[in-house]
Amino acid sequence: MSKSVEAPMAQGQVTRQRLLDAAAALIGEVGWNAVTTRMAAERAGVRSGVVHYHFASVDDLLVAASLGVAGALLRSVSDELAGHDDPGEAVDWLLAELGRYGPADPASLLMVEMYLAATRMPELREQLGDMVLEFRRVVAGWLRERGFPGDADAAAVLLAAVIDGLMLHRGLDPRLDLTAVGAPLRALFGKDDTEEA
C-alpha cells in the first residue's frame, strides 16, 4: 500500500477513535438518549457530517463506543485475575479496584447507561451479553485452575453479578465500604469447609 493511501487511512482511524472517545465520555455525562451527533462531533473536534462518514447513526456510534469501553474493562479485570493464584487475594484486589470508582465516575455511569440501553436494543444486548459470557468463561476457567471445589460456572456468574451490583449500590450510597463485603466474598471463593466435615 502506498504512503499516499496510508496517511488518509491512519487519519480516518484517528478521527474514528476521537469520535468513540467523545461518545463514551458523553454517555456518562448526559445519558445515552441525550447524546447527539452534533455533541459528539463538537467534543471530537470534527464537523457533524464526519460522524455519519464513520457511523450509520448516533446509536451505532454509542454502541461501538460503549462496547469498546466495556470490553477493555472486562479484559482488564480478567487479565488481573489471571495474575492472582489465590482467589482470596484476587477478591481483595477486586474490591480495592472497584473502590476507586466513585458514583459519578464516567466509566461506571457509562456501564449503567449501557445496561439500560441494552434492554431496548437487541444488537447491543447480544454483543454485551457475549462479552459478559466470555468474562464468566474466563473466570470459571481461572477458578478451576486453582482447584475451586464448587461449581466454577455458577461462581463466575455470581462474581460478575457482584461486580455489577456493587457498582450500582455505590451509585446510590457513595459511603458504601466495599471492603466490608470482603469476608463473605472470600468465603464464596475460598475452600468449601463442608467438604472436610
Side-chain angles (χ1 to χ4, degrees), residues 95 98 157-167 181 185 188:
L95 292 174
L98 292 177
V157 170
L158 282 174
L159 182 62
V162 164
I163 292 170
D164 291 340
L166 287 174
M167 297 316 292
V181 300
L185 199 53
L188 175 66

Side-chain angles (χ1 to χ4, degrees), residues 92-132:
D92 290 339
W93 167 81
L94 181 59
L95 292 174
E97 185 67 12
L98 292 177
R100 293 188 324 109
Y101 294 91
D105 173 73
S108 300
L109 294 172
L110 178 143
M111 293 300 290
V112 170
E113 290 283 338
M114 183 183 190
Y115 268 73
L116 184 59
T119 65
R120 299 183 184 102
M121 302 175 71
E123 176 191 351
L124 176 59
R125 181 170 55 246
E126 181 178 340
Q127 292 182 66
L128 180 57
D130 288 345
M131 285 183 177
V132 172

Side-chain angles (χ1 to χ4, degrees), residues 30-169:
V30 301
W32 188 284
N33 292 326
V35 180
T36 65
T37 301
R38 177 181 290 177
M39 291 168 68
E42 285 177 2
R43 178 66 62 93
V46 299
R47 295 185 322 276
S48 293
V50 174
V51 176
H52 293 293
Y53 175 79
H54 292 279
F55 302 95
S57 68
V58 70
D59 277 338
D60 286 344
L61 169 60
L62 299 180
V63 166
S66 59
L67 287 172
V69 171
L73 286 171
L74 291 172
R75 282 189 301 275
S76 174
V77 173
S78 298
D79 292 347
E80 184 65 33
L81 285 177
H84 290 275
D85 289 328
D86 177 64
E89 290 176 6
V91 165
D92 290 339
W93 167 81
L94 181 59
L95 292 174
E97 185 67 12
L98 292 177
R100 293 188 324 109
Y101 294 91
D105 173 73
S108 300
L109 294 172
L110 178 143
M111 293 300 290
V112 170
E113 290 283 338
M114 183 183 190
Y115 268 73
L116 184 59
T119 65
R120 299 183 184 102
M121 302 175 71
E123 176 191 351
L124 176 59
R125 181 170 55 246
E126 181 178 340
Q127 292 182 66
L128 180 57
D130 288 345
M131 285 183 177
V132 172
L133 286 172
E134 175 61 14
F135 174 76
R136 291 179 352 204
R137 186 193 66 75
V138 169
V139 170
W142 171 76
L143 287 168
R144 286 189 192 94
E145 289 169 5
R146 279 142 189 83
F148 181 71
D151 184 337
D153 293 315
V157 170
L158 282 174
L159 182 62
V162 164
I163 292 170
D164 291 340
L166 287 174
M167 297 316 292
L168 285 173
H169 281 255

